[in-house]
Amino acid sequence: MKNGTCREAIRPKSKVAAFVKAIRHSCRKALTALRCFDLGSNQQRVHLKTRSKGIVLFSAAVVAFPIMSLAACEAGEYWPSADWEVARLEERLFRESLLDPLKTFVQEQNSSAFLIIHRGRLETEWYFDGAKPEDRVGSASAAKGFTSALLGIAMEEGYLPGTGTTLADWFPEWTRGDPSGNLAMVTLADLLTMRSGLPWNRDLQVAMHQAPGYLEFIQQQAPEAPPGIRFLYSGFDPILISAIMRRATGQWLADYAQKKLFKPIGIRGATWNGDPKGLTNGGSLINMTARDYARFGLLYLREGRWMDKQVVPAAWVQKSTPNQFDGWPWYGYYWWHLQEEVENSDARLQGCYFAAGAGGQHIIILPALDTVIVRLGTEPKLSPSGGKFVPELCRLLLDSLP
């Protein structure tokens, strides 16, 4: 295709080809299910013996074939290449004639860009106030979703033993410099769920960016609570993950992202900034186009897979996107959720999650609709922090369905 790729797993040239493709697909699913991915302790992933694994996977594939492969043969799988395939009007899920209320809302809410991706194809693309597709826009805290993905990749590659690893494991010098011992005992799981106990406010944010280095500034901050107890949203937490990733991989998070995430899914020209010493800000400062944010959203919609390559471990996507802490039931590992009453109000919103940043930067994943939404701009009038912006956007989106 001119602007995209359609994986024709669904239209094989022969029944044999269909069977082979279905077996490969089923094996991939079975392997994901069989993996023991360490998500909360220091245990290593269990590796099955090659022979046993082959037998189990083949058996699972044969059993799953009648259900999974035939269902997969019903519709194509589209992926952007250098550009996005634009869906024809008659094939679109969201009818153009019904989108006017949504467009009015999006424009009134100070948006500069708004994209709808359905089944891997671009259905809607709006730009406002002189914005253009090639504009690179700051992520604000939506960058945290990228940091979560990269941590999952690093764990899969063996750089980190699990989310139970602590700051003291990677920064033993912090144990000596923290009389309370609280900071040193913060785990990766605490950092991913905003439970480090570290403070955060606008003044601290400004002061940190004026400091010679992020880490030295963070180490000077007194925790407000013991780790693992309370949800205290802090921009320090993803920066600490970035620092751990630096020691674990030997690479700055931005460089690791280019190799392991951006390049594999076709993101070109994106930047990710940090402090004067080179430490990447794991919680912000990505700059890329709306279409590139949509690539990342599609990657997660497809459970970490890009074409035939598993970029982010599927087990990590499945673990990191649901709620992780009962004390704040709308947050996973840097991914937000609709409040329960909103999600349960319509089956089409089930499983919805999103990356969000200041100014209303959003990458919204709607698995039930096979859809990704990207919204960029400045602070909406209907404040996202009040939990109203995304539900209203979703309501109008659903109203555009025939």
Side-chain angles (χ1 to χ4, degrees):
M1 291 190 174
K2 182 179 180 181
N3 294 323
T5 301
C6 176
R7 287 290 176 185
E8 298 278 355
I10 37 95
R11 297 186 187 89
K13 295 181 179 180
S14 71
K15 292 182 179 180
V16 172
F19 180 79
V20 171
K21 288 179 180 291
I23 287 293
R24 290 176 61 196
H25 178 74
S26 299
C27 283
R28 184 165 54 233
K29 289 286 187 180
L31 179 58
T32 296
L34 287 169
R35 282 175 173 165
C36 178
F37 194 94
D38 174 23
L39 299 167
S41 69
N42 289 328
Q43 74 174 18
Q44 296 295 320
R45 194 180 68 191
V46 174
H47 292 279
L48 298 176
K49 291 182 179 180
T50 303
R51 183 177 179 183
S52 298
K53 182 168 64 176
I55 294 171
V56 172
L57 289 179
F58 180 78
S59 300
V62 171
V63 171
F65 171 73
I67 299 172
M68 299 173 65
S69 67
L70 295 180
C73 289
E74 294 301 320
E77 206 175 60
Y78 292 90
W79 301 90
S81 51
D83 207 344
W84 287 83
E85 171 78 9
V86 178
R88 293 190 294 270
L89 288 175
E90 65 274 14
E91 295 179 338
R92 295 182 183 181
L93 176 65
F94 304 96
R95 295 292 183 249
E96 190 173 25
S97 59
L98 300 176
L99 285 172
D100 284 345
L102 176 63
K103 186 173 185 179
T104 299
F105 171 78
V106 168
Q107 187 168 17
E108 288 178 347
Q109 296 298 315
N110 302 323
S111 303
S112 61
F114 186 83
L115 278 61
I116 300 176
I117 309 296
H118 174 58
R119 285 185 52 217
R121 293 190 295 184
L122 185 63
E123 287 205 359
T124 298
E125 184 173 39
W126 299 325
Y127 294 93
F128 307 99
D129 299 327
K132 302 179 292 298
E134 60 268 24
D135 292 344
R136 293 190 176 91
V137 181
S139 63
S141 288
K144 294 177 176 66
F146 290 80
T147 296
S148 178
L150 290 163
L151 184 62
I153 295 170
M155 289 173 61
E156 173 78 357
E157 293 187 331
Y159 287 115
L160 293 157
T163 57
T165 190
T166 66
L167 277 174
D169 293 334
W170 298 96
F171 293 91
E173 65 271 24
W174 285 32
T175 305
R176 298 186 295 271
D178 176 23
S180 70
N182 283 340
L183 192 57
M185 296 312 298
V186 171
T187 67
L188 275 178
D190 294 333
L191 295 173
L192 285 164
T193 52
M194 298 293 179
R195 293 183 294 164
S196 69
L198 287 167
W200 184 252
N201 55 50
R202 178 62 180 169
D203 291 341
L204 285 173
Q205 182 181 12
V206 172
M208 181 188 71
H209 285 292
Q210 294 173 343
Y214 292 155
L215 281 185
E216 295 82 358
F217 184 82
I218 295 172
Q219 196 172 7
Q220 296 169 9
Q221 309 308 312
E224 292 184 355
I229 304 299
R230 292 169 52 195
F231 180 95
L232 292 171
Y233 190 90
S234 177
F236 295 142
D237 290 12
I239 292 174
L240 290 173
I241 287 183
S242 174
I244 291 173
M245 289 279 286
R246 166 65 175 173
R247 289 207 170 178
T249 68
Q251 303 172 62
W252 299 119
L253 187 64
D255 296 333
Y256 191 68
Q258 292 288 351
K259 297 174 185 175
K260 299 296 182 177
L261 183 57
F262 295 172
K263 185 177 180 180
I265 67 174
I267 293 176
R268 302 287 184 266
T271 61
W272 198 346
N273 300 318
D275 71 6
K277 296 184 177 182
L279 180 63
T280 308
N281 187 326
S284 188
L285 303 185
I286 292 178
N287 291 277
M288 64 176 60
T289 67
R291 292 183 178 188
D292 283 341
Y293 286 118
R295 287 176 183 266
F296 182 61
L298 181 61
L299 176 71
Y300 261 70
L301 180 66
R302 301 266 169 88
E303 296 194 329
R305 181 172 57 88
W306 194 263
M307 296 189 185
D308 292 332
K309 179 178 176 63
Q310 194 70 41
V311 178
V312 180
W316 180 255
V317 175
Q318 294 159 8
K319 174 65 177 178
S320 62
T321 51
N323 170 55
Q324 293 293 326
F325 178 51
D326 291 339
W328 196 262
W330 310 291
Y331 204 61
Y333 286 164
Y334 294 156
W335 291 93
W336 291 91
H337 295 266
L338 296 172
Q339 294 187 16
E340 187 175 358
E341 61 270 23
V342 176
E343 184 176 0
N344 291 338
S345 67
D346 194 302
R348 295 168 294 182
L349 297 179
Q350 290 292 316
C352 173
Y353 61 94
F354 51 94
Q361 320 307 342
H362 284 89
I363 308 169
I364 305 171
I365 317 298
L366 291 157
L369 294 174
D370 199 5
T371 295
V372 174
I373 306 294
V374 173
R375 184 273 177 191
L376 305 174
T378 57
E379 192 70 17
K381 298 174 184 177
L382 198 60
S383 175
S385 61
K388 296 180 179 179
F389 176 73
V390 174
E392 180 61 13
L393 190 154
C394 288
R395 183 188 69 79
L396 292 168
L397 186 73
L398 296 179
D399 286 347
S400 69
L401 293 170

